[in-house]
Amino acid sequence: MVSKTIVGVIVAIIIIAAVVAGIVGYYATRPSATPSIITTPTTPTTTSPTTTAPATPAEEAEEKVLVIGYTRPPDTLDPQKSTWVDITTDIVFARLINIDSEGNVIPGLAESWEISEDGKVITFHLRKGIKDAFGNPITAEDVKFTFERFIAPETASPSAPLVVGTLKEVKVIDDYTVQFIFEEPYGPILTMLATMPSAGIYSEEYFKKVGDVEFGTRPAATGPYYVVEWVRGSHIDYAVNPYYKRDYYPDPVIENEGPPYIKKLRFRIITEPFTLVSEFKAGNVHVLLEVPPEYYKELKDDPKVTMIPFLEYVLHYIGFNCQKYPFNDTRVRQAIAYAINREPIIEVALEGLAVPIHGPLVPTMIGYSEKMEEYAKQKYPYDPEKAKQLLAEAGWIDRDGDGILEDKNGNKFEFELWISTGELEAPKVAQIIQSQLAEIGIKVNIRQVEESAFTDLVSKGKHQAYLFRYGLIDAQILFYMFHSTKGVKRMFFYRSDLDAALEKMGTTVDPKERQKYIEEAEKILIDGCPMVPLYARKIFVAYRNDVVEGIKVNPYTQSLYFNDAKFKD
C-alpha cells in the first residue's frame, strides 16, 4: 500500500505540453467542426539494424493516430542527454522498477531486487524474454551498457548525478542478474530509478548500430512506443512497440496485458495556449497534457471533454533571506507565517485550482508526511494578532501612528518581495500577500525579476524575500534546497542539525529508516521558518471523449497510461 513515505520520486519531470502548425501531408490545418482523425500507412519509416521493423496487420492498411498537444519543443529525445525529461521519452523507455498509482515501488524490467545491509549494493533480477521495439533481446549486458553510458564523462548527462548519485560500477552476474555498486548509499535511488526516463533501458546492439545522433532523434527501446519521426518545431510521431508487456509496468490500474491498443501517436508542438486550445476544441488535437489555467472553466463544462485532475509536485512559497535584516530574526519570519491566509490566495489568484500547503513537502512527493503537514498547520494557523505580538517582541512597533511598524532605531518595516516573470499568477499572489501584511503594519514593495536572472540573483543573496517554487518527486529536494554546503543558495538558512538530518536522509536507502530523517529535517524547517509554504497547483489532463476513451494518469509520477486507451467507434 502506498506510503508516500516509502520512496521518493524525482521532480524533474512531467509537465507536458505541446504544439504546432504544419503537419506534413497528414493533416489539414484548417479547423474542422468535427474531430479530425489522422490516418497513416502501415509502412514504417524506420527499421531495426538487426531486424525488420514491426509491421501492422494487413487488414489495417491505415491506422488512426491519437494527436497529443505538446508545448515544450525538446532539445533531444535521448533522455540521458536532455536537460528536460517528460512524456516524450517516458513512453519510449521502460525502467527496472516503477512507482504505481498508489505510490508503491513495484517491479518493471526487474522482477525483484535486494539491497545490501550497508546500502552500497543493489542486485536486480531481470525478467526473461524482454525485447525492445525491434525484437532485440535485453539482458544484464544491456543494463550495464545503459548505465555505464549514463555516468560516462563523455555523455555529460545533466541528470546522472541526481538519478544515480554515487554509482561507481555496474556488474553483470549472469544474463539476468546485475548489480549496482555505489561509493556510498544514495537515499533516493529507488525513486529515481523508478521514475526517470533517463534510467530507462535500451539495447546496446541497437544503440551501436544507429549511433549517438540518430538515437537522440529516433530512439527505440523497451517502452510502449518508439519514435518514428521527429520534425523539429512541428511534431513527433510514435509507433507501438509490439513486444511490450504490462509486466514491464504492472500498475494495478492497467488492464491490458500486451502492447497499447492505439498503434500510433503524434505529439503536435503548439507553444501558444490559445492556438493549442483552439485546435483541441476543433478536434484536431485529442489530448491536452496540461490544460492552461485560463481555459479550465471553458473546457470543464464541455460534454465532449473529460478532465483528469492531479496535484503537481511543486511547492509555491515565500522564501526569506535569513541572513539579511529583518529576516535574520526567527520571530519576524514566524510572524509573517501567522499573517498569511492561503484561502484568498487560492480562490482569487488561482481561481480555486490549488490546495493549501503548510509544510515543506507536497502530498505527491514521496516522503511526504501527513503528520508533519498537520504539525505545520497547527503551529502556524492564520492569526494576525499572534503575528503582531511576535513582531512587538522583536521590537517592531508603530511608533508614529502611520500604520507601518518601526524598529527601535525608527527604521520602517518595509521590504521588497521579488517575483519571477515565469510565474504567471505571481503578481496576483504577491498583491494579496502585500495586502495581508499591510494589516499587521508591514509595507511590501513588489519587484518583478526576469525568470532567466531570478535564481542567479537570489543565489547571490541580493534579495530580502521572494515568491517562487521548488519541486522534485522525492523529499531529496530538501537536501538540494537547504544543505549549507551542497545545496543551492536561496534562503541562507544554515544549521548543523539540519545538515545532519539531510545527510542521513540522503544516504539512508531503507524507506522506513529514511522517513525518520525526512521528518526530522521537516520539523527543523517548520520551527525555524525560513519560508512560508503556500500552495500546490492542481493540474488537469484533458481528452476528447468523442474520440478516445481509457486514458489514465498516475498521480505520483504524473505519467499518462495509454495502455488501455481506445478510439471511440
Side-chain angles (χ1 to χ4, degrees), residues 315 357-362 372-373 376-377 470 522 526 531 533:
L315 176 66
I357 303 294
H358 298 82
L361 298 176
V362 170
M372 297 314 299
E373 174 66 15
K377 186 176 181 180
Y470 66 66
E522 283 191 274
I526 293 166
M531 64 175 180

Side-chain angles (χ1 to χ4, degrees), residues 354-428:
V355 299
I357 303 294
H358 298 82
L361 298 176
V362 170
T364 42
M365 293 178 181
I366 297 180
Y368 169 83
S369 166
E370 291 181 2
K371 179 177 74 174
M372 297 314 299
E373 174 66 15
E374 186 61 24
Y375 174 74
K377 186 176 181 180
Q378 295 300 321
K379 187 172 181 68
Y380 301 111
Y382 174 54
D383 188 345
E385 294 306 313
K386 177 69 172 177
K388 292 175 184 177
Q389 177 189 330
L390 280 173
L391 288 169
E393 290 176 9
W396 291 96
I397 300 169
D398 184 3
R399 302 173 193 275
D400 59 9
D402 67 350
I404 301 176
L405 304 178
E406 294 91 20
D407 65 11
K408 63 182 180 180
N409 298 317
N411 297 307
K412 298 286 187 183
F413 199 145
E414 182 176 358
F415 73 92
E416 273 193 346
L417 179 67
W418 289 11
I419 62 174
S420 166
T421 56
E423 298 266 295
L424 297 181
E425 72 269 22
K428 288 183 180 179

